[in-house]
Amino acid sequence: GVTSGQTTEFDEPGDDSSVSAVIDWYGPSDFLVMDDQFAAEPPSGDGPLVQAHNPANSPESRFLGASIQDVPEVAARANPITYLEETPALPAFFLASGTNDRLVPYRQTTILADALRARGAEVVVRILKGASHADHQFETLLAGPVIEWLKSLRASS
C-alpha cells in the first residue's frame, strides 16, 4: 500500500501496484527503531521476552542478510515508512496493534499513522490495550469495524 502506483524492485515490468485500501494489523514499519521502542515502552502485560530485532539472528536481520543496524540503507528499503514520500496518492489505511505485542512494538503502528497523516492519507487506528501479536481480539473486536470501513470506502468511491 505504501508503494501504491510506484514501480519497485518487487514488481514485474508493466505491473500496477495501485491499491484502494490497506488493512495492517501489527505490522512493522521501521525495523531500525523497534528495539528502541521496546526499551522505551515495554509491552503492557505478562508474556515471554520481547523479540530483539537488532541482533544478526533476528528475523529481520536474517531476511536482509546482515544485522539491520549494520546495513541501515538496506533496512530502509525494507521499511514501509521509507516509501511514503515517493507515493503520489496514498490509499486509505486501517491500522491496528496491541499494547502487549512482544514481536512488533505497537508504536510501529503509531509512527506509521503519523507519517501517513502527514502525507494526507485517510487513517483509522485502533490500539488494543493488552492485546498481543495475532491476539484473538483483533478478529473479535475489529473484523466488523474493518468490514464497515471497507463498505464505506466503496460507497464513497
Side-chain angles (χ1 to χ4, degrees), residues 2 24 29 81 84 95 107-116:
V2 295
D24 174 9
S29 46
I81 208 161
L84 296 180
L95 307 175
R107 289 289 179 197
Q108 290 285 293
T109 296
T110 61
I111 64 171
L112 179 57
D114 291 345
L116 288 164

Side-chain angles (χ1 to χ4, degrees), residues 14-99:
D15 283 354
D16 182 358
S17 66
S18 299
V19 298
S20 300
V22 174
I23 300 165
D24 174 9
W25 289 358
Y26 40 83
S29 46
D30 186 344
F31 292 156
L32 296 173
V33 299
M34 292 171 75
D35 284 358
D36 291 341
Q37 288 174 325
F38 272 143
E41 193 171 355
S44 64
D46 294 331
L49 295 175
V50 299
Q51 169 73 54
H53 300 280
N54 289 339
N57 67 343
S58 75
E60 300 81 8
S61 295
R62 288 193 327 259
F63 173 69
L64 298 179
S67 172
I68 60 173
Q69 297 298 336
D70 291 342
V71 290
E73 66 289 342
V74 177
R77 288 198 343 257
N79 289 335
I81 208 161
T82 299
Y83 296 92
L84 296 180
E85 291 301 317
E86 303 298 321
T87 304
L90 289 163
F93 281 74
F94 190 110
L95 307 175
S97 59
T99 61

